[in-house]
């Protein structure tokens, strides 16, 4: 269905060009949009005309025209005047509105198709048949971006996305919820993950200019066929969730950047609890203070290099060694040993994952 705003703009445009007043009513004679200030009671005439076999008719100085959506009567157009020129204007207005109906229906059908495609609600044969009907190339490579923000109910993230320069007519944009949008774009064979990340950064900057705050974008792997787009979307969903746990500061994240975080995210909670008990024993990882955790993070960043870590933290080497010895005493893990450091790093990530899952319950 065409919005009343679009109908009004169309009628205003025709009025400005032809200087002829028009009115569009429903089939019961209730005005929807009009350019004329005064319009008499036309309900009876419109209903009578709608029930007749005529496609156009002159009644009380107005030209009446029927507007069909395919074969269903959708609107009645009234044009001020009754000469041949007015008749021509009316026929052109009917053609314009019927073309708008077709265009809006195609857009609605495409959006509906994309939503069902992403949610795996279509059989394989339906995917190809509907894609062909909607003139969507099934063999084109595509990738899914999941865009999330704190935009709010009073805004429209889909419309904000459509205003951005990188967005093309062939791209798919559909809302997941009030604050999330799926953006599926066509890509070339030679395009790489680096280019996808750059495109995502451009989208973030563009949305920020539009007043969209706290934008976070997750990217799935490329889909070589239309049927694989849902996989790319699901990967983007996972990337977004994993980034919220392990990469909170990241504005843009790709599925193939998740590393060990993706593996931990897929672990069942009982297995996580068992692993934590094996690593820490009776010692609670919550007992590690923030200063010690910051020291450990910096130690890991510097590839277990004691001298470089103490230099960057502006502490004496012996102070760092003391903190590492304290961890070893409590957990039996020597973080200067590569295997123990890996076990400790993974254990901290598992703890973070478990806390996140607790907040989701």
């Amino acid at each position: 269905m065409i919005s009343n705003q679009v109908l009004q703009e169309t009628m205003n445009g025709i009025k400005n060009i032809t200087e002829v007043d028009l009115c569009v009513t429903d089939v019961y004679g209730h005005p929807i949009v009009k350019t004329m200030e005064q319009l008499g009671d036309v309900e009876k005439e419109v209903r009578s005309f709608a029930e007749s076999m005529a496609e156009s008719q002159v009644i009380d100085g107005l030209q009446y025209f029927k507007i069909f959506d395919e074969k269903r009567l959708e609107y009645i157009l009234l044009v001020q005047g009754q000469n041949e020129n007015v008749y021509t204007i009316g026929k052109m207005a009917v053609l314009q509105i019927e073309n708008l109906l077709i265009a809006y229906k195609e857009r609605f059908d495409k959006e509906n198709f994309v939503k069902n495609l992403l949610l795996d609600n279509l059989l394989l044969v339906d995917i190809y048949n509907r894609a062909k009907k909607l003139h969507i190339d099934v063999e084109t490579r595509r990738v899914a971006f999941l865009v999330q923000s704190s935009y709010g109910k009073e805004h429209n993230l889909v419309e904000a996305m459509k205003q951005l320069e990188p967005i093309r007519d062939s791209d798919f944009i559909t809302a997941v919820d009030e604050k999330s949008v799926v953006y599926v774009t066509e890509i070339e064979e030679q395009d790489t993950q680096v280019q996808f990340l750059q495109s995502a950064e451009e989208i973030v900057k563009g949305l920020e200019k539009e007043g969209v705050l706290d934008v976070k974008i997750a990217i799935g792997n490329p889909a070589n066929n239309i049927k694989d787009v849902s996989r790319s979307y699901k990967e983007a969903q996972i990337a977004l969730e994993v980034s919220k746990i392990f990469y909170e500061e990241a504005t843009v994240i790709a599925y193939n950047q998740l590393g060990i975080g993706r593996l931990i995210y897929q672990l069942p909670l009982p297995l996580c609890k068992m692993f934590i008990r094996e690593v820490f024993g009776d010692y609670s990882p919550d007992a590690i203070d923030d200063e010690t955790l910051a020291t450990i993070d910096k130690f890991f960043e510097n590839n277990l290099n004691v001298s470089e870590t103490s230099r960057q933290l502006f502490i004496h080497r012996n102070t760092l060694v003391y903190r590492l010895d304290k961890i070893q005493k409590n957990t039996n893990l020597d973080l200067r040993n590569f295997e123990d450091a890996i076990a400790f790093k993974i254990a901290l990530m598992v703890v973070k994952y478990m806390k996140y899952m607790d907040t989701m319950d």
Side-chain angles (χ1 to χ4, degrees):
M1 181 68 70
I2 309 172
S3 69
N4 290 353
Q5 181 182 353
V6 171
L7 266 180
Q8 186 66 63
E9 289 174 356
T10 302
M11 294 300 99
N12 289 341
I14 296 174
K15 164 70 181 295
N16 291 338
I17 294 171
T18 64
E19 297 184 353
V20 172
D21 278 311
L22 308 96
C23 174
V24 176
T25 76
D26 61 19
V27 294
Y28 303 106
H30 304 133
I32 298 173
V33 298
K34 60 182 180 178
T35 65
M36 54 191 72
E37 293 184 6
Q38 298 293 331
L39 178 69
D41 185 2
V42 295
E43 290 186 16
K44 183 178 179 181
E45 289 79 2
V46 168
R47 290 182 182 180
S48 176
F49 173 64
E51 294 171 0
S52 71
M53 299 297 291
E55 291 194 7
S56 66
Q57 190 174 346
V58 177
I59 305 175
D60 294 336
L62 294 171
Q63 292 265 9
Y64 285 58
F65 298 88
K66 290 179 179 176
I67 300 173
F68 292 90
D69 182 2
E70 293 183 348
K71 295 183 179 181
R72 181 170 60 90
L73 183 60
E74 188 70 30
Y75 301 118
I76 302 297
L77 172 68
L78 282 62
V79 185
Q80 187 80 52
Q82 50 188 349
N83 58 38
E84 188 173 335
N85 185 49
V86 169
Y87 176 82
T88 303
I89 293 170
K91 293 297 286 184
M92 291 178 64
V94 168
L95 180 63
Q96 177 74 9
I97 296 172
E98 288 183 344
N99 285 336
L100 282 173
L101 286 168
I102 293 170
Y104 270 72
K105 180 171 286 188
E106 285 182 354
R107 191 175 80 171
F108 174 80
D109 287 346
K110 183 176 285 190
E111 289 177 355
N112 191 46
F113 167 71
V114 172
K115 285 182 179 179
N116 284 307
L117 176 69
L118 295 174
L119 296 173
D120 280 334
N121 288 340
L122 298 171
L123 297 173
L124 187 60
V125 64
D126 292 331
I127 291 174
Y128 287 107
N129 287 340
R130 293 184 65 178
K132 183 178 179 181
K133 182 179 179 182
L134 295 169
H135 310 291
I136 298 173
D137 190 345
V138 297
E139 299 296 334
T140 299
R141 292 184 83 226
R142 296 177 174 88
V143 66
F145 293 68
L146 182 55
V147 183
Q148 192 172 80
S149 78
S150 58
Y151 209 29
K153 294 181 179 179
E154 69 276 13
H155 299 96
N156 191 323
L157 185 56
V158 172
E159 292 304 318
M161 283 287 297
K162 289 179 179 179
Q163 302 303 315
L164 301 183
E165 190 174 322
I167 310 300
R168 298 169 294 190
D169 291 338
S170 57
D171 295 337
F172 306 148
I173 300 177
T174 186
V176 177
D177 52 43
E178 291 174 350
K179 298 183 180 181
S180 302
V181 163
V182 184
Y183 165 52
V184 181
T185 185
E186 296 181 1
I187 56 175
E188 301 295 333
E189 191 69 36
Q190 67 272 16
D191 289 346
T192 65
Q193 193 72 64
V194 173
Q195 290 167 292
F196 305 153
L197 292 168
Q198 289 175 345
S199 296
E201 294 285 359
E202 290 176 11
I203 292 171
V204 171
K205 292 177 182 177
L207 288 174
E208 286 176 348
K209 288 180 180 179
E210 296 293 325
V212 184
L213 306 176
D214 303 322
V215 180
K216 199 175 185 72
I217 300 181
I219 310 167
N221 286 327
N224 294 320
N225 192 290
I226 190 71
K227 66 180 175 62
D228 295 326
V229 168
S230 63
R231 172 188 52 76
S232 183
Y233 165 59
K234 290 182 178 66
E235 290 168 347
Q237 281 184 306
I238 293 173
L240 187 64
E241 284 300 310
V242 173
S243 71
K244 290 178 181 178
I245 304 171
F246 304 115
Y247 315 104
E248 296 172 89
E249 300 302 317
T251 303
V252 173
I253 190 78
Y255 179 77
N256 61 9
Q257 290 182 315
L258 299 177
I260 197 169
R262 187 173 79 216
L263 296 177
I264 294 172
Y265 179 77
Q266 295 172 333
L267 292 175
L269 286 177
L271 189 60
C272 291
K273 293 176 181 177
M274 186 185 304
F275 174 72
I276 294 301
R277 283 197 299 270
E278 290 175 357
V279 173
F280 291 115
D282 295 331
Y283 182 74
S284 171
D286 291 333
I288 305 174
D289 60 84
D290 291 340
E291 184 182 46
T292 302
L293 283 175
T295 301
I296 293 168
D297 286 339
K298 184 62 68 175
F299 187 54
F300 288 155
E301 284 179 21
N302 288 290
N303 300 315
L304 314 185
N305 187 311
V306 174
S307 298
E308 182 61 23
T309 302
S310 59
R311 186 187 70 81
Q312 291 186 17
L313 290 174
F314 302 103
I315 60 175
H316 195 277
R317 177 188 174 94
N318 290 343
T319 303
L320 176 59
V321 171
Y322 169 76
R323 292 176 184 176
L324 295 176
D325 287 343
K326 185 179 178 181
I327 290 292
Q328 184 177 5
K329 179 182 177 180
N330 290 326
T331 65
N332 291 320
L333 294 173
D334 183 0
L335 301 189
R336 287 155 291 196
N337 177 280
F338 179 75
E339 289 188 5
D340 284 356
I342 287 293
F344 190 86
K345 175 70 172 177
I346 293 174
L348 288 183
M349 293 180 71
V350 170
V351 169
K352 204 169 187 180
Y353 166 65
M354 291 168 62
K355 288 181 177 178
Y356 176 82
M357 294 307 293
D358 285 341
T359 65
M360 294 294 102
D361 293 338

